[in-house]
Structures are given as C-alpha cells and as structure tokens.
Amino acid sequence: MKIGREDFEALIKGEKDITPYIELNTLEGTYSVFGVKTASNPNYLIKAIYDMYESHLNKKLAVKAVRKLFRSVGMGSLGLYNLLKKSGMELSPAEFLMLVFKLQHQQGWGAPFELVEQSEKRIILRTKRTFESEILKDWKMPVCGVHQGWIEGVMMAVTGKNWYCLERKCVANGDDCCEFVIDQVDPSWKFKAQSVVKGESAITEFIDHRPVEWDDQADRRSRGHDAEVCLYVHDELAQKDHGRTACGRGELPGLYGHGEENVEHYKKMGITQPNVLSDMAFTFYSQMGWFRLVKSEWNEEKKEKTITLEHTVESEAFGSTGKNVCYCTAGLLAGIIEGAFGIKVQCREIKCRSKGDEYCVFTVTNKAA
Ligand SMILES: [Zn+2]
Ligand SMILES: [Zn+2]
C-alpha cells in the first residue's frame, strides 16, 4: 500500500481514520499499521508489563521502567517524521506528537490528546484517560509511564534534544484527567542527580545514558563547570548529611550518603553480590561524570582495597593546589563499599591530581570498631 502526504493530511484533519491502513492477519492474530505489527490487545500486554516490573521493583519504579521501555517506541517514530518531511509536510514537534497519538488512538492504543500549551521548550498535553490509567486505577498514583516514555521518545527523536515528561495529573491518582508537562531539559549530570535525589527518577534510568566522553573537551565544557558541580554537591551535603561531618571537614564526608543510597537502589532490584553492587555504582558515577575508574585492586594481606581514579570532580574543580582535595569522592567511595559489602570502612586519599600526582588514589580499609 502506498501512503502519501494527502493521507496524513487527511488524518490530521480528521477526514480519514487509520483503519484503511490497517492490515489484519486473523490467522496469526496480529495486525499491522503502515506495515508495522502491533499487538491487538494492548491492555493485556500493558498490564503484564507493569506487573512484571512491579513484582521486581515497586510501583513507582515500575512506572519508571515502563517509561524507559516506551521511550524506544517513541524514538521509532522518526521514520514517519522523515517521511512526512520528505513529502513536504513540516510539522512542529508538538503537531507531530499530536499526530502520533492520533494514529495510536485509532489503533486502540494511545489517548486522544488535547494540546494545552506549546512553546519552544515546553509542551502541555491533556487527555480524559489513557489505557494504562484505566487498567491500573487501583494503583492510586500517576501511572502513565507508557505515555510519558512514548512522548519523551518522540520528542527526542524529532528534536535531537532531551525532554522530560512529568505527569502532573492522572486519572489513576483520582484526578479528572491525565496531564503531561513536557520540558526540554539540560542534559547535564546535575539535572539527573537532582531528579534522583528528589526521588523523581530511579538511578537505573540513567545507566545507559551516553557516557561522558572525556576526550572531547567541548563536550566536557557543555557538561557544566566542574566547580559548579562541586558547589552543588556541597550544597546537597548541607541538607543530606546523614548526621556525618560536612564534606571537606571530616574524615567521612557527606557524599557517603549518595553512594550508599545508590547501592540501596540496586539492592531493591534484587542484586545481592557485593562486587556487582559496587561495580554498578562505580559505573553509574563515572557515567555521571564524577570520576573515571582506572583500576580497583585488593590486597588480601593488608585487607586493603586500592581505588585509582582520574578526573574526579574535585581535582578538576580545584586544579593544582599542592594538596589532596578529593574529600567528597573519598566519602562517596566509602559509602559505596559500605553499602555493597555491609561493613564499616575508612577511605583515605593517598595520591591526588591536585597535589601533582598522575591519578587520585584511595585506600579503603576496615574501620576499627
Ligand atoms: Zn495518567
Ligand atoms: Zn584527588
């Protein structure tokens, strides 16, 4: 079947619906739309996906996981966007978003959206209900991860920028509609860290983000000044010190809490092996641009772990100072190790870039009771 620009224009205007483009294969029980196979009973599928995640995580993280899953579905709309462009149809990202959901709705999937607001950096969409809000009504919370992820994926695909979709109202939460606020966001680690700290995001959401490319100076600058990073961390510590001494003043600085919380997230996912837990945390923080792990060694005789890092936020922020500066990082490492291995440790920086050493080197030892 050949589909042209007129078809899409007719769809947008409401003169046609999607049914002529649907091919039903009753034998296989599948049907395809524009040649793409879709599930014929989305409710079953969606419920199964949510339940699967919920049994491993919790409700809140299940919504996040579904959202992440559906981002790729949204990204898949890029082909359609390019097809329209090629046929001379220039839609704004918001208009395209509306079209995608119109198509999905006619397949029995998406919700018919109302465009409440659109500007360069913000779009607000509203709908009376979504299928997931009906299926998961008894969850009594915002549940529309399918739509959130889908929206984010579409927006990322067509603009090449990062978008964050917040579900401000949800039928499953007792509201009169589901309302989505979609903001273009700063892709920096700071935004991610803030949303993790506020509990809006699971740390796991960020794990497959493009790692910081350390060789690319321009990219590093756009990531935000490292000094700002450090200031933010210090700020954060003032509020979330977990009763420990503030960063830079004490032996076990407050970043400790971050590392420990990070590990706790992985534990909730059912991961138990200490080495895997600490590796995941190291990976997470290096992808966030906190440091780059060079190596990690274990000395059985001395019962001592040595961790070698480069590009720690502190050594980058403070530059050459002639002394060790990575107190926050030391606390972070201690928190990760304690959380992962369930022991009390002491972490000391013995070499530092800021002091003129090649790497920042930390030793972790059991803390005497
Ligand atoms: Zn909802
Ligand atoms: Zn250092």
Side-chain angles (χ1 to χ4, degrees), residues 341-359:
F341 291 84
I343 50 172
K344 290 281 161 206
V345 300
Q346 196 160 17
C347 182
R348 233 185 251 119
E349 188 179 27
I350 55 169
K351 285 185 182 177
C352 186
R353 283 281 291 175
S354 287
K355 202 169 66 185
D357 296 310
E358 192 186 357
Y359 297 116

Side-chain angles (χ1 to χ4, degrees), residues 234 323 342:
H234 282 245
K323 54 185 180 187

Side-chain angles (χ1 to χ4, degrees), residues 119-167:
S119 64
E120 200 197 326
K121 292 197 162 183
R122 168 169 280 197
I123 294 167
I124 300 178
L125 298 179
R126 193 183 291 152
T127 182
K128 283 215 166 62
R129 70 186 70 88
T130 64
F131 50 85
E132 67 264 47
S133 68
E134 305 222 297
I135 307 167
L136 301 163
K137 231 181 268 158
D138 59 330
W139 282 27
K140 309 261 181 271
M141 59 179 278
V143 295
C144 300
V146 171
H147 281 81
Q148 282 177 296
W150 212 327
I151 289 169
E152 285 172 343
V154 170
M155 293 304 293
M156 284 175 194
V158 303
T159 65
K161 298 196 168 107
N162 277 320
W163 292 78
Y164 184 87
C165 176
L166 177 84
E167 191 178 18

Side-chain angles (χ1 to χ4, degrees), residues 39 41-50 70 109:
N41 193 336
N43 287 13
Y44 275 122
L45 180 69
I46 293 303
K47 181 88 171 96
I49 293 172
Y50 273 88
F70 274 81
W109 269 82

Side-chain angles (χ1 to χ4, degrees), residues 11-53:
L11 281 170
I12 292 174
K13 283 193 212 126
E15 293 166 2
K16 273 190 179 178
D17 73 10
I18 200 173
T19 44
Y21 309 103
I22 295 178
E23 280 148 353
L24 190 66
N25 183 334
T26 40
L27 263 183
E28 281 182 32
T30 60
Y31 72 106
S32 55
V33 180
F34 302 130
V36 180
K37 267 188 196 164
T38 54
S40 52
N41 193 336
N43 287 13
Y44 275 122
L45 180 69
I46 293 303
K47 181 88 171 96
I49 293 172
Y50 273 88
D51 283 347
M52 179 189 78
Y53 281 114

